[in-house]
């Protein structure tokens, strides 16, 4: 099993950066980068400071779809009071099967200035959440960084979870080094053609492999406290897709080989047809996961040598 750390010995990574002044420097660098945006692997080169936008449809300020204590996350994140989720609107991927289509494709939500983002974090902390969980954050790294010092000054002390598709640039991850406690990338596709067809991002697999290795180098394997709550490290997700289009076996082999057998992995089975998927378009994925597809996925993970599989899914394997 993985290492553990007593909660009272844990300090979120960002506090040290804040004390040293490095966090303020990162905020400045991140905001300047918005002027010619290459903050994700799309490399759009638009001036978001002037409120122009491209693929992610987000200009100067983040848009937030919702924020709430989330009880659907992994046990080590939701605990008993929930994971303090802040769900960003729009997205830099274009997954045709998106299960949050109204938020990620249609931008449901409202603009949030840094003070409002900071207030959301503090509200979630006051509600007893165990962490702050930034969902779909790839295109708003500068905006998150900008809000963070305000939240810290007002007493934020929770670990930060970066809940990402892994379509992140190395520059963004450099900006987040020592800020994020828990990286939670969802490794979606192994094959470039599948990533092009289903997410309009043929460079996704290559970008995700590079990003996930960088995340792991920064935070290491997942470490829990005495109550089984995640404090720091990498929690890798993988959504099993119908018809094997995600490349589960290749992904599990890569994770075991490149990150090691103690990588915490959640093999997820909750895919259902949504977004643009129908009986006319993207027909191959117009169904849920069959029982043997989940079993095969979990077997592939075990055969690769991975020994820290999220127990809720792993218990279902026969
Ligand atoms: S963050 Fe948005 S504007 Fe910037 S490169 Fe990515 S998709 Fe393009």
């Amino acid at each position: 099993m993985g290492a553990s750390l007593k909660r009272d010995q844990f300090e979120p990574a960002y506090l040290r950066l804040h004390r040293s002044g490095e966090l303020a420097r990162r905020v400045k660098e991140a905001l300047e980068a918005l002027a010619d945006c290459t903050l994700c692997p799309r490399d759009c080169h638009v001036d978001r400071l002037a409120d122009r936008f491209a693929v992610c449809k987000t200009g100067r300020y983040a848009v937030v779809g919702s924020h709430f204590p989330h009880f659907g996350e992994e046990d080590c994140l939701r605990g008993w009071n929930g994971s303090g989720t802040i769900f960003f609107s729009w997205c830099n991927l274009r997954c045709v099967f998106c299960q949050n289509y109204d938020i990620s494709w249609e931008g449901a939500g409202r603009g949030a200035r840094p003070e409002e983002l900071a207030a959301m974090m503090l509200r979630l902390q006051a509600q007893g959440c165990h962490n702050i969980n930034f969902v779909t954050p790839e295109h708003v790294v500068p905006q998150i960084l900008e809000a963070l010092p305000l939240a810290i000054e007002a007493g934020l002390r929770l670990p930060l979870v970066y809940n990402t598709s892994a379509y992140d640039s190395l520059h963004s991850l450099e900006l987040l080094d020592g800020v994020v406690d828990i990286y939670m990338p969802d490794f979606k596709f192994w094959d470039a053609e599948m990533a092009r067809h289903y997410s309009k991002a043929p460079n996704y697999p290559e970008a995700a492999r590079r990003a996930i290795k960088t995340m792991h180098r920064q935070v290491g394997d997942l470490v829990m406290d005495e109550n089984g709550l995640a404090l720091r490290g990498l929690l890798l997700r993988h959504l099993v897709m119908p018809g094997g289009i995600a490349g589960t076996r290749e992904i599990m082999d890569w994770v075991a080989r490149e990150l090691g057998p103690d990588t915490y992995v959640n093999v997820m089975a909750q895919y259902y047809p949504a977004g643009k998927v129908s009986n006319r378009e993207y027909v191959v994925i117009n169904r849920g996961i069959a029982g043997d597809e989940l079993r095969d996925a979990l077997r592939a993970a075990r055969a690769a040598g991975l020994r820290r599989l999220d127990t809720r899914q792993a218990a279902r394997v026969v």
Side-chain angles (χ1 to χ4, degrees):
M1 291 311 290
S4 68
L5 180 68
K6 286 234 180 315
R7 180 78 191 194
D8 60 9
Q9 291 166 359
F10 170 78
E11 179 182 89
Y14 52 80
L15 288 182
R16 177 134 54 100
L17 251 60
H18 184 59
R19 284 195 295 267
S20 71
E22 171 63 12
L23 185 56
R25 195 199 65 74
R26 299 268 184 98
V27 173
K28 187 166 175 294
E29 181 185 331
L31 291 175
E32 284 169 4
L34 284 173
D36 180 25
C37 190
T38 56
L39 282 155
C40 88
R42 295 274 184 204
D43 287 344
C44 298
H45 289 285
V46 289
D47 182 359
R48 294 173 60 192
L49 285 181
D51 234 7
R52 301 216 169 77
F53 58 80
V55 178
C56 68
K57 301 204 176 155
T58 304
R60 171 62 182 86
Y61 295 104
V63 181
V64 173
S66 59
H67 69 291
F68 57 97
H70 194 340
F71 290 89
E73 302 287 60
E74 287 79 351
D75 290 347
C76 62
L77 295 178
R78 68 176 176 172
W80 49 97
N81 283 334
S83 177
T85 298
I86 299 178
F87 212 124
F88 291 103
S89 307
W90 303 112
C91 185
N92 63 345
L93 277 182
R94 281 277 158 275
C95 302
V96 296
F97 52 89
C98 183
Q99 309 193 341
N100 301 297
Y101 195 85
D102 57 330
I103 297 174
S104 299
W105 277 77
E106 295 170 349
R110 61 180 194 86
R113 302 277 165 143
E115 310 76 46
E116 293 168 285
L117 258 186
M120 289 177 201
M121 297 181 214
L122 294 165
R123 203 171 303 135
L124 292 165
Q125 178 171 268
Q127 287 177 272
C129 293
H130 305 291
N131 43 65
I132 301 297
N133 183 349
F134 298 116
V135 183
T136 319
E138 306 83 1
H139 56 303
V140 288
V141 168
Q143 290 85 348
I144 291 171
L145 287 170
E146 186 181 25
L148 196 53
L150 308 177
I152 295 170
E153 290 294 328
L156 184 73
R157 294 295 179 268
L158 294 178
L160 300 183
V161 183
Y162 188 77
N163 186 341
T164 172
S165 66
Y167 199 42
D168 292 289
S169 71
L170 291 188
H171 187 198
S172 282
L173 296 177
E174 276 165 25
L175 290 166
L176 293 171
D177 190 3
V179 175
V180 167
D181 299 290
I182 298 159
Y183 280 110
M184 187 157 64
D186 176 6
F187 197 159
K188 291 173 174 293
F189 297 106
W190 180 256
D191 183 76
E193 174 53 25
M194 294 299 169
R196 184 199 63 75
H197 187 61
Y198 291 108
S199 294
K200 310 289 176 276
N203 65 343
Y204 170 84
E206 188 192 336
R209 285 191 287 268
R210 203 172 46 219
I212 292 168
K213 279 174 90 164
T214 302
M215 293 173 195
H216 188 249
R217 243 191 329 265
Q218 286 184 17
V219 296
D221 290 332
L222 193 66
V223 172
M224 317 260 197
D225 73 4
E226 62 274 27
N227 293 313
L229 291 173
L231 292 178
R232 179 170 290 145
L234 184 94
L235 193 170
L236 188 129
R237 285 176 164 177
H238 171 67
L239 182 65
V240 182
M241 297 284 291
I245 67 157
T248 300
R249 186 175 307 278
E250 289 87 348
I251 288 175
M252 294 302 136
D253 286 345
W254 180 87
V255 170
R257 187 174 64 245
E258 298 293 331
L259 310 181
D262 287 322
T263 311
Y264 194 99
V265 177
N266 185 4
V267 177
M268 302 185 296
Q270 59 260 46
Y271 175 82
Y272 61 89
K276 292 180 179 294
V277 178
S278 71
N279 56 12
R280 293 181 308 282
E281 275 192 291
Y282 306 104
V283 180
V284 172
I285 58 169
N286 190 29
R287 64 171 174 84
I289 298 296
D292 59 346
E293 287 175 313
L294 174 61
R295 273 194 295 277
D296 287 351
L298 287 165
R299 283 192 184 124
R302 292 213 167 103
L306 294 168
R307 50 193 178 212
R308 292 180 77 196
L309 297 181
D310 191 79
T311 48
R312 268 190 291 167
Q313 298 292 349
R316 293 170 62 182
V317 76
V318 294

